[in-house]
Amino acid sequence: MENYSYLENVAKKIRISIIEMLKEAKSGHPGGSLSAAEILTALYFKEMNVDPKNPKWADRDRFVLSKGHAAPVLYAALAEKGYFPKEELYRLRKIDSMLQGHPDMKGTPGVDMTTGSLGQGLAVANGMALAGKLDGRDYRVYVLIGDGECQEGIIWEAAMLAAHYKLDNITVFLDHNGLQIDGANEEVMDIEPIDEKFKSFGWHVMKIDGHSFEAIFKALDEAKNIKGKPSIIIAKTVKGKGVSFMENVAEWHGKAPNEEETLKALEELGGGING
């Protein structure tokens, strides 16, 4: 069995960065950022073919954070990868900062698409994937969507298009943590059976533990071997993962920790942004 201790340590550092940067900003979205730490770690630190020294490299793999409010997990991963200094994380959401509340491809090295309007990221990623095929390039496009986005009509229009054009160079992760800003998915607007819905739209569907590197990489390998249809990895995750008082609590969808909460969270995670 492969040893994922290095990646587990990276995911821990990303979670620590998320807490620190949100505390400093006094605003932001911890729940859905913490739940996606393993997914972003797997992509940026093993799976994707990228070069932090050349963020606009034409043949790089692309990543689209469709649920743009989870920008802290993307920023933390990019900083850890070396796209920009970690010190920039402390300037999250400041007026003159490169790190705004939602990703901005014009302002942040490594951000492939500006996102924030929920549901639109998958449609844009389709364009990237289709362009790759038309240009004869072999890069892959990865997308992270959220539960609440699956209540958006544009997601299903995009799902239909990806299947129609046989975009087998696109892989979507659904951060399936079961919560959104107003509470549990089934109470707000139930999205189940989400796997059968994507299957009916012509997608290859996998369901995994979204915090298991072994499961993530097995699914990614499977997706690369699927020809003629797009793939979605429905990753069961825990909102607020890693911080006990944030886990499975919808209130932490969009609330920054105070000083006391930050100290408690960092104690549980085992460090600080520079430690």
Side-chain angles (χ1 to χ4, degrees):
M1 181 179 293
E2 189 168 350
N3 186 343
Y4 295 111
S5 58
Y6 168 71
L7 294 177
E8 289 166 356
N9 188 53
V10 171
K12 185 184 83 167
K13 289 181 179 179
I14 286 174
R15 286 194 168 94
I16 289 169
S17 294
I18 290 168
I19 296 298
E20 286 273 9
M21 63 201 292
L22 289 176
K23 180 263 179 184
E24 188 70 21
K26 296 182 174 59
S27 65
H29 297 79
S33 295
L34 292 167
S35 64
E38 281 80 13
I39 295 170
L40 270 288
T41 298
L43 290 174
Y44 277 96
F45 291 85
K46 185 176 181 183
E47 185 68 23
M48 292 202 307
N49 189 18
V50 294
D51 181 2
K53 295 179 181 178
N54 187 10
K56 297 296 185 182
W57 175 39
D59 288 317
R60 74 192 183 281
D61 289 334
R62 273 76 166 161
F63 174 75
V64 178
L65 182 68
S66 189
K67 54 170 211 164
H69 56 275
V73 69
L74 176 57
Y75 297 157
L78 291 175
E80 194 67 36
K81 186 70 174 178
Y83 281 89
F84 50 81
K86 280 191 175 184
E87 288 72 25
E88 288 292 333
L89 298 177
Y90 285 109
R91 303 181 66 243
L92 174 70
R93 290 176 168 241
K94 302 291 191 266
I95 289 177
D96 59 344
S97 171
M98 70 164 66
L99 306 180
Q100 290 302 307
H102 292 85
D104 178 4
M105 65 187 295
K106 294 184 177 180
T108 310
V111 172
D112 289 316
M113 187 61 213
T114 302
T115 56
S117 297
L118 292 181
Q120 295 184 3
L122 179 53
V124 173
N126 280 344
M128 293 178 176
L130 185 57
K133 284 186 173 290
L134 292 173
D135 292 342
R137 298 185 182 276
D138 62 0
Y139 65 75
R140 296 188 65 81
V141 182
Y142 298 90
V143 192
L144 183 65
I145 65 175
D147 287 328
E149 287 192 292
C150 293
Q151 299 159 352
E152 303 274 356
I154 191 172
I155 285 286
W156 301 105
E157 293 177 66
M160 183 166 52
L161 183 143
H164 177 78
Y165 285 101
K166 298 178 171 56
L167 299 182
D168 49 17
N169 56 344
I170 190 168
T171 300
V172 173
F173 277 93
L174 169 59
D175 184 9
H176 195 26
N177 59 49
L179 295 173
Q180 55 194 104
I181 190 169
D182 290 324
N185 303 152
E186 62 265 25
E187 295 173 0
V188 178
M189 186 181 293
D190 198 359
I191 63 174
E192 299 297 345
I194 193 66
D195 54 344
E196 294 300 327
K197 288 177 181 176
F198 271 97
K199 285 178 184 176
S200 71
F201 273 72
W203 285 59
H204 178 70
V205 178
M206 296 159 281
K207 297 177 74 173
I208 67 165
D209 174 355
H211 300 303
S212 164
F213 283 114
E214 182 178 4
I216 291 170
F217 289 120
K218 181 179 178 181
L220 285 167
D221 287 343
E222 184 174 327
K224 284 183 289 189
N225 288 320
I226 296 298
K227 303 304 178 186
K229 61 169 61 178
S231 294
I232 181 167
I233 301 168
I234 299 173
K236 180 60 179 173
T237 59
V238 175
K239 194 149 190 166
K241 176 70 172 178
V243 179
S244 61
F245 59 89
M246 292 185 181
E247 289 188 355
N248 291 314
V249 179
E251 179 184 357
W252 287 103
H253 174 88
K255 184 179 79 166
N258 59 29
E259 186 79 36
E260 181 181 352
E261 291 163 339
T262 297
L263 291 174
K264 183 178 179 182
L266 293 178
E267 182 180 359
E268 292 186 7
L269 291 168
I273 198 169
N274 295 313

